[in-house]
Amino acid sequence: MAGHVRDLAGVEQFCRGRLHTTARVSAAFAATAHGYWLNGAGPAAWELLDAEYQARTPSEASRIASRQLGSGLRRLLRSMTPDADLDSPWALITRPAPHHPLVLGAAVALAGGDAPMAARAARLGAITAPASAAVRLLGLDPLAVQGMLARLAPLVDASPPNSGSLAGSEPANEPLFGGERPADSAPALELLADLHRTAEVRLFAS
């Protein structure tokens, strides 16, 4: 609607931008949450991790959408893993649900995946959502959009070396456990998210 993305080249540039910014943040937090789940982190640790992600999400609209997505994923986990305790670890997070990357990391752990897989899932989601939206909103060829996603696959699949940082020149240096997590942001997207929330015609929640 703002006219910043008009064609397939614009969608690819947009997705590359997300991989360099907000996707780096969500990937790092998903990977950290994976470790928290496996290591039985207590409610206070989860509350702090949730607050750290909240601080890296300036847009109120984006915060709300992230918690809505987290709530939806937790409902799915309840149906798929009825024996898992999906309440006690997040007992101090009184809002509807933890932010989506935290629930995603726990979900990957429950599914038997590792921390790099959690990071990869977060990066993949960061580009498949706008790619799918572009097909509907811009009327792009779905096969061409899938080809664009395939070109970005090496960035999504970047594997972490033993040092704990993700390999590859883009995106790079995402801590998997603890330490300084990235705080990359896309200010224009944060502003547009809040503008979209008050627009007369709303297209998406996230």
Side-chain angles (χ1 to χ4, degrees):
M1 292 177 67
H4 299 308
V5 178
R6 301 172 183 271
D7 52 22
L8 183 63
V11 175
E12 181 167 351
Q13 184 179 27
F14 179 86
C15 289
R16 286 181 179 272
R18 292 203 77 176
L19 287 171
H20 282 292
T21 54
T22 54
R24 293 190 69 239
V25 176
S26 58
F29 275 79
T32 302
H34 177 280
Y36 275 30
W37 187 269
L38 289 185
N39 294 321
W46 281 105
E47 182 185 34
L48 178 58
L49 188 66
D50 188 80
E52 284 189 33
Y53 187 82
Q54 177 95 346
R56 289 164 169 80
T57 312
S59 162
E60 182 64 21
S62 296
R63 290 177 175 182
I64 292 173
S66 175
R67 294 196 184 281
Q68 289 174 338
L69 291 171
S71 178
L73 182 55
R74 185 162 65 169
R75 287 197 301 271
L76 177 62
L77 287 176
R78 288 190 195 281
S79 65
M80 297 179 65
T81 56
D83 294 331
D85 181 2
L86 297 170
D87 294 312
S88 297
W90 299 320
L92 296 181
I93 302 174
T94 57
R95 292 167 285 262
H99 280 292
H100 180 257
L102 277 64
V103 184
L104 178 61
V108 173
L110 284 167
D114 57 14
M117 182 179 291
R120 193 157 52 245
R123 289 195 298 272
L124 181 63
I127 63 172
T128 54
S132 175
V135 171
R136 288 174 283 171
L137 297 178
L138 298 177
L140 299 179
D141 179 359
L143 293 179
V145 172
Q146 289 300 314
M148 179 271 296
L149 291 174
R151 287 193 295 275
L152 297 180
L155 306 184
V156 174
D157 291 337
S159 300
N162 294 332
S163 63
S165 297
L166 295 182
S169 59
E170 48 175 352
N173 301 321
E174 290 176 9
L176 296 183
F177 303 104
E180 288 295 324
R181 281 172 282 277
D184 304 85
S185 66
L189 284 183
E190 299 287 347
L191 291 170
L192 286 171
D194 282 339
L195 287 174
H196 176 263
R197 185 184 178 198
T198 59
E200 183 177 351
V201 178
R202 294 184 62 193
L203 302 174
F204 300 100
S206 59

